[in-house]
Coordinates of all heavy atoms in Angstrom, one line a residue:
M1 N 26.0 -5.7 112.8 CA 26.0 -6.6 111.6 C 24.6 -7.4 111.5 O 24.2 -7.8 112.5 CB 27.2 -7.5 111.6 CG 27.2 -8.4 110.4 SD 28.7 -9.6 110.4 CE 30.0 -8.4 110.1
I2 N 24.2 -7.6 110.4 CA 23.0 -8.4 110.1 C 23.5 -9.7 109.4 O 24.2 -9.6 108.4 CB 22.0 -7.7 109.2 CG1 21.6 -6.3 109.9 CG2 20.8 -8.5 109.0 CD1 21.0 -6.3 111.2
I3 N 23.0 -10.8 109.9 CA 23.2 -12.1 109.3 C 21.9 -12.6 108.9 O 20.9 -12.7 109.6 CB 23.8 -13.1 110.4 CG1 25.1 -12.6 111.0 CG2 24.0 -14.5 109.8 CD1 26.3 -12.5 110.1
V4 N 21.8 -13.2 107.6 CA 20.7 -13.8 107.1 C 21.0 -15.2 106.8 O 22.0 -15.5 106.1 CB 20.2 -13.1 105.8 CG1 18.9 -13.8 105.3 CG2 19.9 -11.6 106.0
M5 N 20.3 -16.1 107.4 CA 20.6 -17.6 107.2 C 19.3 -18.3 106.8 O 18.2 -17.9 107.4 CB 21.2 -18.3 108.4 CG 22.5 -17.7 108.9 SD 23.8 -18.0 107.9 CE 23.9 -19.8 107.9
G6 N 19.3 -19.2 105.9 CA 18.1 -19.9 105.5 C 18.3 -21.0 104.5 O 19.5 -21.3 104.2
T7 N 17.2 -21.6 104.1 CA 17.2 -22.5 103.1 C 15.9 -22.4 102.2 O 15.0 -21.8 102.7 CB 17.1 -24.0 103.7 OG1 16.0 -24.1 104.6 CG2 18.4 -24.4 104.5
V8 N 16.1 -23.0 101.1 CA 15.0 -23.1 100.2 C 15.1 -24.4 99.4 O 16.3 -24.9 99.2 CB 14.9 -21.8 99.2 CG1 16.1 -21.8 98.3 CG2 13.6 -21.8 98.5
R9 N 14.0 -24.9 99.0 CA 14.1 -26.1 98.2 C 13.7 -25.8 96.7 O 12.9 -25.0 96.4 CB 13.1 -27.2 98.8 CG 13.6 -27.7 100.1 CD 12.9 -28.9 100.6 NE 13.4 -29.4 101.8 CZ 14.5 -30.2 101.8 NH1 15.0 -30.7 100.7 NH2 15.0 -30.6 103.0
V10 N 14.4 -26.5 95.9 CA 14.3 -26.4 94.4 C 14.1 -27.8 93.9 O 14.9 -28.6 94.1 CB 15.5 -25.7 93.7 CG1 15.3 -25.7 92.2 CG2 15.8 -24.3 94.3
P11 N 13.0 -28.0 93.2 CA 12.9 -29.4 92.5 C 14.2 -29.8 91.8 O 14.7 -29.0 91.1 CB 11.7 -29.3 91.6 CG 10.9 -28.1 92.1 CD 12.0 -27.1 92.7
V12 N 14.6 -30.9 92.1 CA 15.9 -31.4 91.6 C 16.1 -31.3 90.1 O 17.1 -30.9 89.6 CB 16.3 -32.8 92.1 CG1 15.5 -33.9 91.4 CG2 17.7 -33.1 92.1
E13 N 14.9 -31.4 89.4 CA 15.0 -31.3 87.9 C 15.2 -29.8 87.5 O 15.5 -29.5 86.3 CB 13.7 -31.8 87.3 CG 12.4 -31.1 87.6 CD 11.7 -31.6 88.9 OE1 12.3 -32.4 89.7 OE2 10.5 -31.3 89.1
N14 N 15.1 -28.8 88.4 CA 15.3 -27.4 88.1 C 16.6 -26.9 88.6 O 16.9 -25.7 88.4 CB 14.1 -26.6 88.6 CG 12.8 -26.9 87.9 OD1 12.9 -27.4 86.7 ND2 11.8 -26.5 88.5
I15 N 17.4 -27.6 89.2 CA 18.7 -27.2 89.8 C 19.6 -26.6 88.7 O 20.1 -25.5 88.9 CB 19.4 -28.3 90.6 CG1 18.7 -28.6 91.9 CG2 20.9 -27.9 90.8 CD1 18.7 -27.6 92.9
E16 N 19.8 -27.3 87.6 CA 20.7 -26.7 86.6 C 20.1 -25.5 86.0 O 20.9 -24.6 85.6 CB 20.9 -27.8 85.5 CG 21.8 -29.0 85.9 CD 23.0 -28.5 86.6 OE1 23.8 -27.6 86.1 OE2 23.4 -29.1 87.7
A17 N 18.8 -25.3 85.9 CA 18.2 -24.1 85.3 C 18.4 -22.9 86.2 O 18.6 -21.8 85.8 CB 16.7 -24.3 85.0
I18 N 18.4 -23.2 87.6 CA 18.5 -22.1 88.5 C 19.9 -21.6 88.8 O 20.1 -20.5 89.2 CB 17.8 -22.5 89.8 CG1 17.4 -21.2 90.6 CG2 18.7 -23.4 90.8 CD1 16.4 -21.4 91.7
R19 N 20.9 -22.4 88.5 CA 22.3 -22.1 88.8 C 22.7 -20.7 88.1 O 23.2 -19.9 88.8 CB 23.3 -23.2 88.3 CG 23.2 -24.3 89.3 CD 24.3 -25.4 88.8 NE 24.2 -26.6 89.5 CZ 24.6 -26.8 90.8 NH1 25.3 -25.8 91.3 NH2 24.5 -27.9 91.3
P20 N 22.5 -20.5 86.8 CA 22.9 -19.2 86.2 C 22.1 -18.0 86.8 O 22.6 -16.9 86.9 CB 22.6 -19.4 84.7 CG 21.8 -20.6 84.6 CD 22.0 -21.4 85.8
M21 N 20.9 -18.3 87.2 CA 20.1 -17.2 87.8 C 20.6 -16.8 89.2 O 20.8 -15.7 89.5 CB 18.6 -17.7 88.0 CG 17.9 -17.9 86.7 SD 16.3 -18.6 87.1 CE 15.7 -19.1 85.5
M22 N 21.0 -17.9 90.0 CA 21.6 -17.6 91.3 C 23.0 -16.9 91.1 O 23.3 -15.9 91.8 CB 21.9 -19.0 92.1 CG 20.5 -19.5 92.5 SD 20.7 -20.9 93.7 CE 21.7 -22.1 92.7
A23 N 23.8 -17.3 90.1 CA 25.1 -16.6 89.9 C 24.9 -15.2 89.6 O 25.6 -14.4 90.0 CB 25.8 -17.4 88.7
K24 N 23.9 -14.9 88.7 CA 23.6 -13.5 88.4 C 23.2 -12.7 89.6 O 23.7 -11.5 89.7 CB 22.5 -13.5 87.3 CG 22.2 -12.1 86.7 CD 21.3 -12.2 85.5 CE 19.9 -12.7 86.0 NZ 18.9 -12.7 84.9
V25 N 22.3 -13.1 90.4 CA 21.9 -12.4 91.6 C 23.0 -12.2 92.6 O 23.2 -11.2 93.2 CB 20.7 -12.9 92.2 CG1 20.9 -14.2 93.1 CG2 19.9 -11.9 93.0
I26 N 23.9 -13.2 92.7 CA 25.0 -13.2 93.7 C 26.0 -12.1 93.2 O 26.4 -11.2 94.0 CB 25.7 -14.5 93.8 CG1 24.9 -15.5 94.5 CG2 27.1 -14.3 94.5 CD1 25.3 -16.9 94.4
A27 N 26.3 -12.0 91.9 CA 27.2 -11.0 91.3 C 26.7 -9.6 91.6 O 27.4 -8.7 91.9 CB 27.5 -11.4 89.9
A28 N 25.4 -9.5 91.3 CA 24.8 -8.1 91.4 C 24.7 -7.7 92.9 O 25.0 -6.6 93.2 CB 23.3 -8.1 90.7
T29 N 24.3 -8.6 93.7 CA 24.3 -8.3 95.2 C 25.6 -8.0 95.8 O 25.7 -7.1 96.6 CB 23.6 -9.5 95.9 OG1 22.3 -9.6 95.3 CG2 23.4 -9.2 97.4
A30 N 26.7 -8.6 95.3 CA 28.0 -8.4 95.9 C 28.4 -7.0 95.7 O 29.3 -6.5 96.4 CB 29.0 -9.3 95.3
K31 N 27.9 -6.3 94.7 CA 28.2 -4.9 94.4 C 27.4 -3.9 95.2 O 27.7 -2.7 95.2 CB 28.0 -4.6 92.9 CG 28.9 -5.4 92.0 CD 28.5 -5.2 90.6 CE 29.3 -6.1 89.7 NZ 28.9 -6.0 88.3
E32 N 26.4 -4.4 95.9 CA 25.6 -3.4 96.7 C 26.3 -2.9 97.9 O 27.1 -3.6 98.6 CB 24.3 -4.2 97.3 CG 23.3 -4.6 96.1 CD 22.1 -5.3 96.7 OE1 21.5 -4.7 97.7 OE2 21.7 -6.3 96.2
D33 N 26.0 -1.6 98.2 CA 26.5 -1.0 99.4 C 26.1 -1.7 100.6 O 24.9 -2.0 100.8 CB 26.1 0.5 99.5 CG 26.7 1.3 100.7 OD1 27.8 1.1 100.9 OD2 25.9 1.9 101.3
G34 N 27.0 -2.1 101.5 CA 26.7 -2.8 102.7 C 26.6 -4.3 102.6 O 26.6 -4.9 103.7
C35 N 26.8 -4.9 101.5 CA 26.9 -6.3 101.4 C 28.3 -6.8 101.7 O 29.3 -6.4 101.1 CB 26.5 -6.8 100.0 SG 26.6 -8.6 99.8
I36 N 28.4 -7.6 102.7 CA 29.7 -8.2 103.1 C 29.8 -9.6 102.6 O 30.9 -10.0 102.1 CB 29.7 -8.2 104.7 CG1 29.7 -6.8 105.2 CG2 31.1 -8.9 105.1 CD1 29.5 -6.8 106.6
Q37 N 28.8 -10.3 102.5 CA 28.7 -11.7 101.9 C 27.3 -12.1 101.5 O 26.3 -11.7 102.1 CB 29.2 -12.8 103.0 CG 29.1 -14.2 102.5 CD 29.4 -15.2 103.7 OE1 29.7 -14.9 104.8 NE2 29.1 -16.4 103.4
Y38 N 27.2 -12.8 100.4 CA 26.0 -13.3 99.8 C 26.3 -14.5 99.1 O 26.9 -14.5 98.1 CB 25.4 -12.2 98.9 CG 24.0 -12.4 98.5 CD1 22.9 -11.9 99.3 CD2 23.6 -13.0 97.3 CE1 21.6 -12.1 98.9 CE2 22.3 -13.3 97.0 CZ 21.3 -12.8 97.7 OH 20.0 -12.9 97.4
A39 N 25.7 -15.6 99.6 CA 26.1 -16.9 99.0 C 24.9 -17.9 99.1 O 24.0 -17.9 100.0 CB 27.2 -17.5 99.7
Y40 N 24.8 -18.7 98.0 CA 24.0 -19.8 98.0 C 24.8 -21.1 97.8 O 25.9 -21.1 97.2 CB 23.0 -19.8 96.8 CG 22.1 -18.6 96.7 CD1 22.0 -17.8 95.6 CD2 21.3 -18.4 97.7 CE1 21.2 -16.7 95.5 CE2 20.4 -17.3 97.7 CZ 20.3 -16.5 96.6 OH 19.5 -15.4 96.5
A41 N 24.4 -22.3 98.4 CA 25.2 -23.5 98.3 C 24.2 -24.7 98.3 O 23.3 -24.7 99.1 CB 26.1 -23.7 99.4
Q42 N 24.4 -25.5 97.3 CA 23.6 -26.7 97.3 C 24.1 -27.7 98.3 O 25.3 -27.9 98.5 CB 23.7 -27.4 95.8 CG 22.8 -28.6 95.7 CD 22.9 -29.1 94.2 OE1 23.8 -28.8 93.5 NE2 21.9 -29.9 93.9
D43 N 23.1 -28.4 99.0 CA 23.5 -29.3 100.1 C 24.1 -30.5 99.5 O 23.7 -31.0 98.5 CB 22.2 -29.7 100.8 CG 22.6 -30.5 102.1 OD1 22.6 -31.6 102.1 OD2 22.7 -29.8 103.2
V44 N 25.2 -31.0 100.2 CA 25.8 -32.2 99.7 C 25.0 -33.5 99.8 O 25.1 -34.3 98.9 CB 27.2 -32.4 100.6 CG1 27.9 -33.7 100.3 CG2 28.1 -31.2 100.3
L45 N 24.2 -33.6 100.8 CA 23.4 -34.8 101.0 C 21.9 -34.7 100.5 O 21.3 -35.7 100.3 CB 23.4 -35.2 102.4 CG 24.7 -35.5 103.1 CD1 24.6 -35.8 104.6 CD2 25.5 -36.6 102.4
D46 N 21.5 -33.5 100.3 CA 20.1 -33.3 99.8 C 20.1 -32.4 98.6 O 20.1 -31.1 98.7 CB 19.3 -32.7 101.0 CG 17.8 -32.6 100.6 OD1 17.4 -32.7 99.4 OD2 17.1 -32.3 101.6
P47 N 20.2 -32.9 97.4 CA 20.4 -32.1 96.2 C 19.4 -31.0 95.9 O 19.6 -30.1 95.2 CB 20.5 -33.1 95.1 CG 19.9 -34.4 95.6 CD 20.0 -34.3 97.1
E48 N 18.2 -31.1 96.5 CA 17.1 -30.0 96.2 C 17.1 -28.9 97.3 O 16.5 -28.0 97.2 CB 15.7 -30.7 96.1 CG 15.1 -31.1 97.4 CD 13.7 -31.6 97.2 OE1 13.3 -31.9 96.1 OE2 13.0 -31.7 98.2
L49 N 18.1 -29.0 98.3 CA 18.2 -28.1 99.3 C 19.3 -27.1 99.0 O 20.4 -27.4 98.8 CB 18.4 -28.8 100.6 CG 18.4 -27.9 101.9 CD1 17.0 -27.3 102.2 CD2 18.9 -28.7 103.1
I50 N 18.9 -25.7 99.0 CA 19.9 -24.7 98.8 C 20.0 -23.9 100.1 O 19.0 -23.4 100.7 CB 19.4 -23.8 97.7 CG1 19.1 -24.5 96.4 CG2 20.4 -22.6 97.5 CD1 20.3 -25.1 95.8
H51 N 21.2 -23.8 100.6 CA 21.5 -23.0 101.8 C 21.8 -21.5 101.3 O 22.4 -21.3 100.4 CB 22.7 -23.5 102.5 CG 22.5 -24.9 103.0 ND1 21.9 -25.1 104.2 CD2 22.7 -26.1 102.5 CE1 21.9 -26.4 104.4 NE2 22.3 -27.1 103.4
I52 N 21.3 -20.6 102.2 CA 21.4 -19.2 102.0 C 22.2 -18.6 103.1 O 21.9 -18.9 104.3 CB 20.1 -18.5 101.9 CG1 19.3 -19.0 100.7 CG2 20.3 -17.0 101.7 CD1 17.8 -18.8 100.8
A53 N 23.3 -17.8 102.8 CA 24.1 -17.2 103.9 C 24.5 -15.8 103.4 O 25.0 -15.6 102.3 CB 25.4 -18.0 104.1
E54 N 24.1 -14.8 104.2 CA 24.4 -13.4 103.9 C 24.9 -12.7 105.2 O 24.5 -13.0 106.3 CB 23.0 -12.7 103.5 CG 22.3 -13.4 102.4 CD 21.0 -12.7 102.1 OE1 20.8 -11.5 102.3 OE2 20.1 -13.4 101.6
K55 N 25.8 -11.7 104.9 CA 26.2 -10.8 106.0 C 26.0 -9.3 105.4 O 26.4 -9.1 104.2 CB 27.7 -10.9 106.2 CG 28.0 -12.1 107.0 CD 29.5 -12.1 107.4 CE 30.0 -13.4 108.0 NZ 31.4 -13.5 108.1
W56 N 25.5 -8.5 106.2 CA 25.1 -7.1 105.8 C 25.7 -6.2 106.9 O 25.6 -6.5 108.1 CB 23.7 -6.9 105.6 CG 23.1 -7.6 104.4 CD1 22.6 -8.9 104.5 CD2 23.1 -7.2 103.1 NE1 22.3 -9.3 103.2 CE2 22.6 -8.3 102.3 CE3 23.5 -6.1 102.4 CZ2 22.4 -8.2 100.9 CZ3 23.3 -6.0 101.1 CH2 22.8 -7.1 100.3
R57 N 26.1 -4.9 106.5 CA 26.6 -4.0 107.4 C 25.6 -3.6 108.4 O 25.9 -3.5 109.6 CB 27.1 -2.8 106.6 CG 27.6 -1.6 107.4 CD 27.9 -0.4 106.6 NE 26.6 0.1 106.1 CZ 26.5 0.4 104.8 NH1 27.6 0.4 104.0 NH2 25.4 0.9 104.3
D58 N 24.3 -3.4 108.0 CA 23.3 -3.0 108.8 C 21.9 -3.3 108.2 O 21.8 -3.7 107.0 CB 23.4 -1.5 109.2 CG 23.6 -0.6 108.0 OD1 22.9 -0.9 107.0 OD2 24.3 0.4 108.1
M59 N 20.9 -3.0 109.0 CA 19.5 -3.3 108.5 C 19.1 -2.4 107.3 O 18.3 -2.9 106.4 CB 18.5 -3.2 109.7 CG 17.1 -3.7 109.3 SD 17.0 -5.4 108.7 CE 17.1 -6.2 110.3
A60 N 19.6 -1.2 107.3 CA 19.3 -0.3 106.2 C 19.9 -0.9 104.8 O 19.2 -0.8 103.8 CB 19.9 1.1 106.5
A61 N 21.0 -1.4 104.9 CA 21.6 -2.0 103.7 C 20.8 -3.3 103.3 O 20.5 -3.4 102.1 CB 23.0 -2.4 103.9
L62 N 20.3 -4.0 104.2 CA 19.5 -5.2 103.9 C 18.2 -4.7 103.3 O 17.7 -5.3 102.3 CB 19.2 -6.1 105.1 CG 18.4 -7.3 104.8 CD1 18.9 -8.3 103.8 CD2 18.2 -8.1 106.2
K63 N 17.6 -3.8 103.8 CA 16.2 -3.3 103.4 C 16.4 -2.6 101.9 O 15.6 -2.9 101.0 CB 15.7 -2.2 104.2 CG 15.2 -2.8 105.5 CD 14.6 -1.7 106.4 CE 14.0 -2.4 107.7 NZ 13.4 -1.5 108.6
A64 N 17.6 -2.0 101.7 CA 17.8 -1.4 100.3 C 18.0 -2.6 99.3 O 17.5 -2.5 98.2 CB 19.1 -0.6 100.3
H65 N 18.6 -3.7 99.8 CA 18.8 -4.9 98.9 C 17.4 -5.4 98.5 O 17.3 -5.8 97.3 CB 19.6 -5.9 99.7 CG 19.5 -7.4 99.2 ND1 20.1 -7.6 98.0 CD2 18.9 -8.4 99.7 CE1 19.9 -9.0 97.7 NE2 19.2 -9.5 98.7
F66 N 16.5 -5.5 99.3 CA 15.1 -6.0 99.0 C 14.5 -5.2 97.9 O 13.7 -5.7 97.2 CB 14.3 -6.0 100.2 CG 14.7 -7.0 101.3 CD1 14.5 -6.7 102.6 CD2 15.2 -8.2 101.0 CE1 14.8 -7.6 103.7 CE2 15.6 -9.2 102.0 CZ 15.4 -8.8 103.3
E67 N 14.9 -3.9 97.8 CA 14.2 -3.0 96.9 C 15.0 -2.9 95.5 O 14.6 -2.3 94.5 CB 14.1 -1.6 97.5 CG 13.2 -1.6 98.6 CD 11.8 -2.1 98.3 OE1 11.3 -1.8 97.3 OE2 11.2 -2.8 99.2
A68 N 16.2 -3.6 95.5 CA 17.1 -3.5 94.3 C 16.4 -4.1 93.1 O 15.7 -5.1 93.2 CB 18.4 -4.2 94.6
E69 N 16.7 -3.6 91.9 CA 16.0 -4.0 90.7 C 16.3 -5.5 90.4 O 15.5 -6.3 90.0 CB 16.4 -3.1 89.5 CG 15.6 -3.5 88.3 CD 14.1 -3.3 88.4 OE1 13.7 -2.4 89.1 OE2 13.3 -4.0 87.7
H70 N 17.5 -5.9 90.6 CA 18.0 -7.3 90.3 C 17.2 -8.3 91.2 O 16.9 -9.4 90.9 CB 19.5 -7.5 90.4 CG 20.0 -7.3 91.7 ND1 20.5 -6.0 92.1 CD2 20.2 -8.0 92.8 CE1 21.1 -6.1 93.3 NE2 20.8 -7.3 93.8
M71 N 16.7 -7.8 92.5 CA 16.0 -8.7 93.3 C 14.6 -8.9 92.8 O 14.0 -9.9 93.0 CB 16.0 -8.1 94.8 CG 17.3 -8.2 95.5 SD 18.0 -9.9 95.4 CE 16.8 -10.7 96.6
K72 N 14.0 -7.8 92.2 CA 12.7 -8.0 91.6 C 12.7 -9.0 90.4 O 11.8 -9.8 90.2 CB 12.2 -6.6 91.2 CG 12.0 -5.7 92.3 CD 11.6 -4.3 91.8 CE 11.6 -3.4 93.1 NZ 11.4 -2.0 92.7
V73 N 13.8 -8.9 89.6 CA 13.9 -9.8 88.5 C 14.1 -11.3 89.1 O 13.5 -12.2 88.6 CB 15.2 -9.4 87.7 CG1 15.5 -10.5 86.6 CG2 14.9 -8.1 86.9
W74 N 15.0 -11.4 90.1 CA 15.2 -12.7 90.7 C 13.9 -13.3 91.2 O 13.7 -14.5 91.1 CB 16.3 -12.5 91.8 CG 16.5 -13.7 92.7 CD1 16.6 -13.6 94.1 CD2 16.8 -15.0 92.4 NE1 16.9 -14.8 94.6 CE2 17.0 -15.7 93.6 CE3 16.9 -15.7 91.2 CZ2 17.3 -17.0 93.7 CZ3 17.2 -17.1 91.3 CH2 17.4 -17.8 92.4
A75 N 13.1 -12.6 91.8 CA 11.8 -13.0 92.3 C 10.9 -13.6 91.2 O 10.3 -14.6 91.4 CB 11.0 -11.9 93.1
Q76 N 10.9 -12.9 90.1 CA 10.2 -13.4 89.0 C 10.8 -14.7 88.4 O 10.0 -15.5 88.1 CB 10.1 -12.2 87.9 CG 9.3 -11.1 88.3 CD 9.4 -10.0 87.3 OE1 10.3 -9.9 86.4 NE2 8.5 -9.0 87.4
E77 N 12.1 -14.7 88.2 CA 12.8 -15.8 87.7 C 12.5 -17.0 88.5 O 12.2 -18.1 88.0 CB 14.3 -15.5 87.5 CG 14.6 -14.6 86.5 CD 16.1 -14.3 86.4 OE1 16.8 -14.5 87.4 OE2 16.5 -13.8 85.3
R78 N 12.8 -17.0 89.8 CA 12.7 -18.1 90.7 C 11.3 -18.6 90.8 O 11.1 -19.8 91.1 CB 13.3 -17.8 92.1 CG 12.5 -16.9 92.9 CD 13.3 -16.6 94.2 NE 12.4 -15.8 95.1 CZ 12.8 -14.8 95.8 NH1 14.1 -14.3 95.6 NH2 12.0 -14.1 96.5
A79 N 10.3 -17.7 90.6 CA 8.9 -18.2 90.7 C 8.5 -19.2 89.6 O 7.6 -20.0 89.8 CB 7.9 -17.0 90.6
T80 N 9.3 -19.2 88.5 CA 9.0 -20.1 87.5 C 9.6 -21.5 87.7 O 9.3 -22.4 86.9 CB 9.6 -19.6 86.1 OG1 11.0 -19.5 86.1 CG2 9.0 -18.1 85.8
L81 N 10.4 -21.7 88.7 CA 11.2 -22.9 88.9 C 10.7 -23.8 90.1 O 11.3 -24.7 90.5 CB 12.6 -22.6 89.1 CG 13.3 -22.0 87.8 CD1 14.7 -21.6 88.0 CD2 13.1 -23.0 86.6
G82 N 9.5 -23.3 90.7 CA 8.9 -24.2 91.7 C 9.6 -24.3 93.1 O 9.5 -25.2 93.7
L83 N 10.3 -23.1 93.5 CA 10.9 -23.1 94.7 C 9.9 -23.3 95.8 O 8.7 -22.9 95.7 CB 11.6 -21.8 95.0 CG 13.1 -21.7 94.5 CD1 13.1 -21.7 92.9 CD2 13.7 -20.4 95.0
F84 N 10.2 -24.1 96.8 CA 9.3 -24.3 98.0 C 10.0 -24.4 99.3 O 11.2 -24.4 99.3 CB 8.4 -25.4 97.7 CG 9.2 -26.8 97.6 CD1 9.1 -27.7 98.7 CD2 9.9 -27.2 96.5 CE1 9.8 -28.9 98.7 CE2 10.6 -28.3 96.5 CZ 10.5 -29.3 97.6
D85 N 9.3 -24.5 100.4 CA 9.8 -24.7 101.7 C 10.9 -23.6 102.1 O 12.0 -23.9 102.6 CB 10.4 -26.1 101.8 CG 10.4 -26.5 103.4 OD1 9.7 -25.8 104.2 OD2 11.1 -27.4 103.6
R86 N 10.6 -22.3 101.8 CA 11.6 -21.2 102.0 C 11.5 -20.9 103.6 O 10.5 -20.6 104.1 CB 11.1 -20.0 101.2 CG 12.0 -18.8 101.3 CD 11.5 -17.7 100.3 NE 12.3 -16.6 100.3 CZ 12.1 -15.5 101.0 NH1 11.0 -15.5 101.8 NH2 12.9 -14.5 101.0
K87 N 12.7 -21.0 104.2 CA 12.9 -20.7 105.5 C 14.1 -19.9 105.7 O 15.2 -20.3 105.6 CB 13.1 -22.0 106.4 CG 11.9 -22.9 106.3 CD 12.1 -24.3 107.1 CE 11.0 -25.2 106.9 NZ 11.3 -26.5 107.4
I88 N 13.9 -18.5 106.0 CA 15.0 -17.6 106.2 C 14.8 -16.8 107.5 O 13.7 -16.3 107.7 CB 15.0 -16.7 104.9 CG1 15.2 -17.5 103.6 CG2 16.1 -15.6 105.0 CD1 15.2 -16.7 102.3
C89 N 15.9 -16.6 108.2 CA 15.8 -15.8 109.4 C 16.9 -14.8 109.3 O 18.0 -15.0 108.8 CB 16.2 -16.7 110.6 SG 14.8 -17.9 110.9
V90 N 16.6 -13.6 110.0 CA 17.5 -12.5 110.1 C 18.0 -12.3 111.5 O 17.1 -12.4 112.4 CB 16.8 -11.2 109.6 CG1 17.8 -10.0 109.7 CG2 16.3 -11.3 108.2
F91 N 19.3 -12.2 111.7 CA 19.8 -12.0 113.0 C 20.7 -10.8 113.1 O 21.5 -10.5 112.2 CB 20.8 -13.2 113.4 CG 20.1 -14.5 113.2 CD1 20.2 -15.3 112.0 CD2 19.4 -15.1 114.3 CE1 19.6 -16.5 111.9 CE2 18.9 -16.4 114.2 CZ 18.9 -17.0 113.0
E92 N 20.5 -10.0 114.2 CA 21.4 -8.9 114.4 C 22.5 -9.3 115.5 O 22.2 -9.9 116.5 CB 20.5 -7.7 115.0 CG 21.4 -6.5 115.1 CD 20.4 -5.3 115.3 OE1 19.2 -5.4 115.5 OE2 21.0 -4.1 115.5
T93 N 23.7 -9.0 115.1 CA 24.9 -9.5 115.9 C 26.0 -8.5 115.8 O 26.0 -7.6 115.1 CB 25.2 -10.9 115.5 OG1 26.3 -11.4 116.3 CG2 25.7 -10.9 114.0
D94 N 27.1 -8.9 116.5 CA 28.3 -8.1 116.3 C 29.1 -8.8 115.1 O 28.6 -9.7 114.5 CB 29.2 -8.0 117.6 CG 29.6 -9.4 118.1 OD1 29.5 -10.4 117.3 OD2 29.9 -9.5 119.3
E95 N 30.4 -8.4 115.0 CA 31.1 -9.0 113.9 C 31.7 -10.4 114.1 O 32.3 -11.1 113.2 CB 32.3 -8.1 113.5 CG 31.8 -6.8 112.9 CD 32.9 -5.8 112.5 OE1 34.0 -6.3 112.3 OE2 32.6 -4.7 112.3
G96 N 31.4 -10.9 115.4 CA 31.9 -12.3 115.7 C 33.5 -12.4 115.8 O 34.1 -11.4 115.7
A97 N 33.8 -13.6 116.1 CA 35.3 -13.8 116.3 C 35.6 -15.2 115.6 O 34.8 -16.1 115.6 CB 35.6 -13.9 117.7
E98 N 36.8 -15.2 115.0 CA 37.3 -16.5 114.4 C 37.6 -17.4 115.5 O 38.1 -17.0 116.5 CB 38.4 -16.2 113.5 CG 38.0 -15.5 112.2 CD 39.2 -15.4 111.2 OE1 40.0 -16.4 111.2 OE2 39.2 -14.5 110.5
V99 N 37.3 -18.7 115.2 CA 37.7 -19.8 116.2 C 38.5 -20.8 115.6 O 38.6 -20.9 114.4 CB 36.4 -20.5 116.7 CG1 35.6 -19.5 117.6 CG2 35.5 -21.0 115.7

């Protein structure tokens, strides 16, 4: 399993504008082969901080995701909203265990 965790910052004045864009990319990504989870969440204490959490079946599925047409559109859309301080890491792991 591949886990992607990260954060990105969005100027607080652009948060409302980016919400429908994020919803669109989440919906499209959820339909991709190998996508187990794909989520964005606004931080409770820091309104310009967006958390990213993804689970993928394998690296091939994640690589295919990067090439998806909706990801190209998302890259263009988000570029207009001043995203900054993007920090994303990819981890390879097993399926984990509930605690």
Side-chain angles (χ1 to χ4, degrees):
M1 177 179 290
I2 303 299
I3 304 291
V4 179
M5 298 294 295
T7 58
V8 65
R9 292 188 173 278
V10 178
V12 74
E13 64 270 15
N14 292 339
I15 289 291
E16 290 308 313
I18 203 168
R19 284 183 190 280
M21 295 174 189
M22 290 190 300
K24 185 172 65 173
V25 78
I26 290 167
T29 300
K31 297 175 185 174
E32 289 182 50
D33 181 44
C35 180
I36 299 166
Q37 176 187 348
Y38 191 87
Y40 298 128
Q42 187 177 15
D43 191 272
V44 172
L45 300 177
D46 184 348
E48 73 178 17
L49 186 64
I50 304 295
H51 294 273
I52 300 162
E54 305 175 27
K55 288 183 186 178
W56 294 90
R57 178 188 60 229
D58 52 34
M59 189 58 77
L62 179 59
K63 287 181 179 180
H65 165 67
F66 293 143
E67 299 302 319
E69 189 59 34
H70 62 268
M71 290 305 293
K72 295 172 186 174
V73 171
W74 171 227
Q76 293 171 343
E77 289 177 338
R78 69 182 189 230
T80 67
L81 296 175
L83 275 68
F84 65 102
D85 201 23
R86 184 175 179 264
K87 297 176 183 173
I88 300 175
C89 292
V90 175
F91 304 91
E92 190 169 357
T93 185
D94 60 18
E95 293 184 18
E98 290 189 30
V99 292

